Amino acid sequence: MVDQIVFGIGITALAGALATVAGAAEDTESDIGSQGDPNSQVQLAPQMGYIHRIFNKAIAGEPPAYGLWVALGAGVAWALMAMQVNAVLAIILGSALAVFVQGIYATTAYLGRIASLAKFGQPVYIDIIKSMTTVTMAHAFVAVFTTVTVCYLINVALGHPFPLPLLGLVWGIALGAAGSATGNPFYGKERQYQSQKFGAGVPIAASGNIVRYAEAGERNSLDNGWFSSKLGGPASGVCFGLIVFFELWRTVIFEEIANGWGAVIVGILVILIFAVIDRYIEIWARKTYGPYGKPEEAA
């Protein structure tokens, strides 16, 4: 019994570490492709007279997109393993095929988006397609490969009853949600709208007025990746890593208590603790950086 728990904790720690890498890669990939929160403003910019060199491949949100790609990678890996292919090779091949689909998705989405904006003078930049697509595919491969590996560990090492493709769909959606909810504000709110005050939102008069110039000239999506890899990516990685760790940890330790209700109760307690911490951080950030503080009275 003790050996099983120790083994389960080890797998949980390994899965959490892989999930941290996946979250960092996912957020950087989505920010390079402007698939996250500020993509609507990037699409709107040419209509407001702001021509830009930012790659934009948003059709769906990150959760459904990554649900598709991870489920596809896990499904192919699952089929190859059923054909007695080595598990590591099967996961690599499945992830590579999923990323090939992601690359087609990114290219057609970018070209389709720009074609619809041609009457506003937005050109198609061939160098942007060549450089951005390969960079997003590289980051997507890291994210898909590590997440499929997490699903494989959950299925084989921890004995989860769901088949690998279904686990890929569930954890792919969770990966996209973590990156969308956590990492995007570090790029979309501060970097994309750095002329706006913290918490001010985007007024109608400033719609589409995105930041188009970087330190070394005209800005492109590699600048977004450089910025996100320092802040949004690590934040998303920590978020997704903690989700995977706490989900598996409470199951490994407390599932045998009260016919499974022990794991449920611990999960609820973890949610409540994080809700209190989040609320405290939000209040602290508003008071420290927000524009809504009460003016100080003159002495």
Side-chain angles (χ1 to χ4, degrees), residues 189-212:
K189 300 300 187 293
E190 282 81 8
R191 180 69 173 183
Q192 195 81 319
Y193 310 119
Q194 60 187 4
S195 60
Q196 303 297 318
K197 292 182 179 180
F198 178 81
V202 182
I204 295 177
S207 294
N209 187 16
I210 59 176
V211 178
R212 296 179 295 152

Side-chain angles (χ1 to χ4, degrees), residues 250 254-266:
R250 67 181 180 86
F254 300 101
E255 191 172 26
E256 300 299 327
I257 299 176
N259 295 323
W261 284 102
V264 175
I265 293 172
V266 171

